[in-house]
Amino acid sequence: MARSPLPPVPTRLLEVEVAGTARRAAPLAALVRQSDEHAANGSPHGELIERLGATGKAGEVHTVPDPGSGPRWLVGIGAGDPASSRAGGAAFIRAVNAHLAAERDAGARPPRTVQAELPAESSAGELDAFLTGALLGGYRYVVSGEPDPPQARTLRVLTPHDRAIQPYTEVAARARELAAASALARDLANTPSNVKNPGWLAGVAERLAGDLPGLTATVRDEGWLAEQGFGGMLAVGGGSASPPRLIELAYRPRGATGHLLLVGKGITFDTGGISIKPAEGMPMMRTDMAGGGAVIAAVRAIAALRLGVRVTALVPAAENHVSGAAYRPGDVVRHYGGTTTEVTNTDAEGRMVLADALAYGIKRYAPDAVVDVATLTGAMKVSLGLRTGGLFASDDTLAERVRDAGERTGEAWWRMPLVEDYAEAVRSEIADLRQAPSGPGGIAAALFLREFTAGLPWAHLDIAGPARADRNYSEVVPGGTGFAARTLVELVSGWAPVTNSRKAATAGVGS
């Protein structure tokens, strides 16, 4: 069988070992904290730190010219806070992979196991963040005829000598699972759209679900969608030769506490339709299903971690294309459940498919709360930039839980307002709703989606900015970032049923 030109999905991540002693043949990195007095303070490598002028600044890596039996690298992790530890882990693995490539080019056989020595008194949080950076900072998705460059395969973490290994082992296992969720979401977003059509995405979701107990996948085709009245999905997908698919993932653990519905936008390529996008913005539209990818990856991790919460995930997958069958501005579309929408911009397709999935998921499964994730509006990139996700919510408790989950996993969210003064603009004169009214784009989109949430506690995560990157920063690399996957896993990990707190129609201050 011919070898696929595409990288495997999911990407192979570093294996992680936790040990109390070093392995002699594997190169070693010493993690160095930044100190107000001096980076050498309290470190067994103080003399080496002095000689190389290492400061311990987050992400600073010094290569030791002649390591002998000591460390080959000194890696700064700042004050040991999560952001600094992630930056240190990412910088470390990039330095390691550059070293392995140089070893190969010099004709040597590069080692595939590397070691990192934690500082004294390292906390579980430091290890978790450092591993997140190391596991994701070396992520690579390249379709090439050239051989893959050498990369480390195993990271051996050395604990402080006076500490028990088991707690660190448990932290490492969980950190790897969350990093795997981000990496899988990146894989799905980065896969080129000449391969990744709705059928391909559905097939991958089925394959991934088949590997885990308690997780099942069901794929609904265009015939089923027509019978059930998914007018938004059929309209958006009507212009493409690749028909739409609704991906349903169900995680049903025994003794589950609560039930959460996750919905992710799955537009596998977005031309903008008849309201066509500018050419320069179109290549990255292969990542327009990043919300759906994050949902698929998160549910897989939730099942792998055996979390005790029932989760239903829906990914309405379609390709928004231009043809004689494409939907038009001025069309009126009937969604699942009967609500009608006047189309005003075919490039506002994400809310059309999400509306169907939200209405269906709530009616069919009666969850306690709903979270949707989507690369929905360019307005959020203007509002919050490229590293922070927009959080809209009808419920204060749910909003706080999402924000806290993001903070614990290194994904930043800023709560935005659901301003009731703009709600009337979502109403149409010839249909129930208007798809893309004038006014603040991110808020208008959220208010449109709220119409399909049946008054349940609901959060809308707009990741149009942080879902993609054009350069390295911390553990992020160019391309799809996997943003939101870790937040969703962490949200479910600490889940308890939401009782309707104060409805936050005009809330929205604070990060």
Side-chain angles (χ1 to χ4, degrees):
M1 180 182 292
R3 179 175 177 268
S4 170
L6 297 179
V9 175
T11 287
R12 178 177 179 174
L13 287 185
L14 275 168
E15 298 296 333
V16 178
E17 299 175 353
V18 179
T21 57
R23 183 179 296 170
R24 184 175 300 176
L28 174 69
L31 307 190
V32 179
R33 285 203 188 95
Q34 192 170 22
S35 168
D36 290 339
E37 299 175 10
H38 201 280
N41 184 30
S43 171
H45 307 292
E47 182 180 341
L48 183 59
I49 291 170
E50 292 269 10
R51 176 157 58 90
L52 294 179
T55 68
K57 180 180 178 182
E60 177 186 83
V61 179
H62 287 269
T63 300
V64 180
D66 184 14
S69 60
R72 184 180 296 275
W73 301 280
L74 299 179
V75 179
I77 57 169
D81 58 281
S84 297
S85 295
R86 281 192 299 274
F92 161 65
I93 203 64
R94 289 167 188 151
V96 165
N97 289 335
H99 169 73
L100 299 185
E103 289 277 285
R104 182 198 62 182
D105 294 345
R109 183 176 180 181
R112 292 306 176 94
T113 296
V114 293
Q115 304 178 101
E117 178 186 74
L118 299 176
E121 305 302 321
S122 290
S123 68
E126 282 180 279
L127 175 59
D128 178 88
F130 174 78
L131 287 177
T132 299
L135 288 161
L136 293 173
Y139 175 91
R140 181 177 183 271
Y141 190 100
V142 176
V143 183
S144 174
E146 298 297 320
D148 292 336
Q151 291 187 302
R153 291 182 179 173
T154 302
L155 172 57
R156 184 179 174 89
V157 178
L158 307 180
T159 63
H161 295 301
D162 60 343
R163 299 296 185 89
I165 290 176
Q166 184 60 29
Y168 288 91
T169 301
E170 293 171 359
V171 168
R174 189 175 188 279
R176 191 177 187 279
E177 202 60 62
L178 265 72
S182 292
L184 173 57
R186 291 178 182 184
D187 292 339
L188 297 175
N190 287 331
T191 298
S193 294
N194 59 317
V195 171
K196 180 181 58 189
N197 60 25
W200 181 92
L201 187 62
V204 171
E206 282 187 302
R207 173 170 60 83
L208 294 172
D211 295 338
L212 291 166
L215 182 61
T216 60
T218 304
V219 177
R220 310 293 191 179
D221 66 12
E222 68 273 27
W224 185 91
L225 294 171
E227 290 173 2
Q228 298 296 319
F230 281 68
M233 288 187 65
L234 293 168
V236 172
S240 173
S242 300
R245 294 288 184 267
L246 178 66
I247 303 164
E248 297 189 36
L249 296 171
Y251 173 60
R252 303 290 185 262
R254 292 182 179 178
T257 57
H259 180 195
L260 185 62
L261 174 65
L262 304 178
V263 180
K265 174 184 169 183
I267 301 299
T268 59
F269 192 78
D270 182 19
T271 66
I274 288 176
S275 307
I276 198 160
K277 292 180 179 292
E280 61 271 15
M282 218 181 281
M284 283 300 285
M285 287 302 101
R286 69 179 183 275
T287 67
D288 207 27
M289 39 55 64
V295 165
I296 291 169
V299 174
R300 184 176 186 273
I302 288 162
L305 291 167
R306 300 183 179 181
L307 301 182
V309 180
R310 180 182 176 187
V311 179
T312 301
L314 300 175
V315 178
E319 185 175 65
N320 189 24
H321 225 306
V322 184
S323 76
Y327 79 132
R328 297 157 292 260
D331 285 359
V332 173
V333 172
R334 187 178 299 277
H335 295 281
Y336 179 90
T339 299
T340 58
T341 291
E342 175 193 0
V343 177
T344 54
N345 182 343
T346 64
D347 194 23
E349 83 298 329
R351 67 199 74 181
M352 299 292 290
V353 302
L354 289 173
D356 279 348
L358 286 166
Y360 167 74
I362 290 168
K363 182 177 180 180
R364 172 72 176 80
Y365 295 108
D368 300 322
V370 186
V371 179
D372 75 74
V373 191
T375 50
L376 206 64
T377 65
M380 294 311 299
K381 295 168 68 175
V382 176
S383 299
L384 298 176
L386 304 181
R387 301 190 186 186
T388 303
L391 164 60
F392 297 84
S394 64
D395 181 273
D396 291 337
T397 299
L398 181 57
E400 185 175 351
R401 288 182 183 181
V402 171
R403 189 170 58 192
D404 290 349
E407 184 175 353
R408 290 193 296 271
T409 57
E411 295 180 333
W413 301 95
W414 189 273
R415 192 169 182 191
M416 301 293 290
L418 287 167
V419 182
E420 288 299 330
D421 289 347
Y422 300 127
E424 187 59 31
V426 178
R427 302 292 169 187
S428 168
E429 294 181 358
I430 65 168
D432 295 319
L433 302 173
R434 181 183 296 129
Q435 170 215 34
S438 59
I443 296 172
L447 289 169
F448 175 87
L449 292 176
R450 190 180 65 173
E451 296 292 324
F452 297 89
T453 60
L456 285 179
W458 157 74
H460 162 57
L461 310 183
D462 192 330
I463 60 172
R468 313 170 180 106
D470 59 3
R471 60 177 63 88
N472 288 335
Y473 62 90
S474 191
E475 79 276 14
V476 173
V477 300
T481 65
F483 193 90
R486 300 200 302 271
T487 293
L488 294 177
V489 178
E490 184 68 18
L491 176 67
V492 171
S493 180
W495 186 255
V498 175
T499 56
N500 272 307
S501 63
R502 180 178 60 85
K503 290 299 175 72
T506 59
V509 290
S511 61

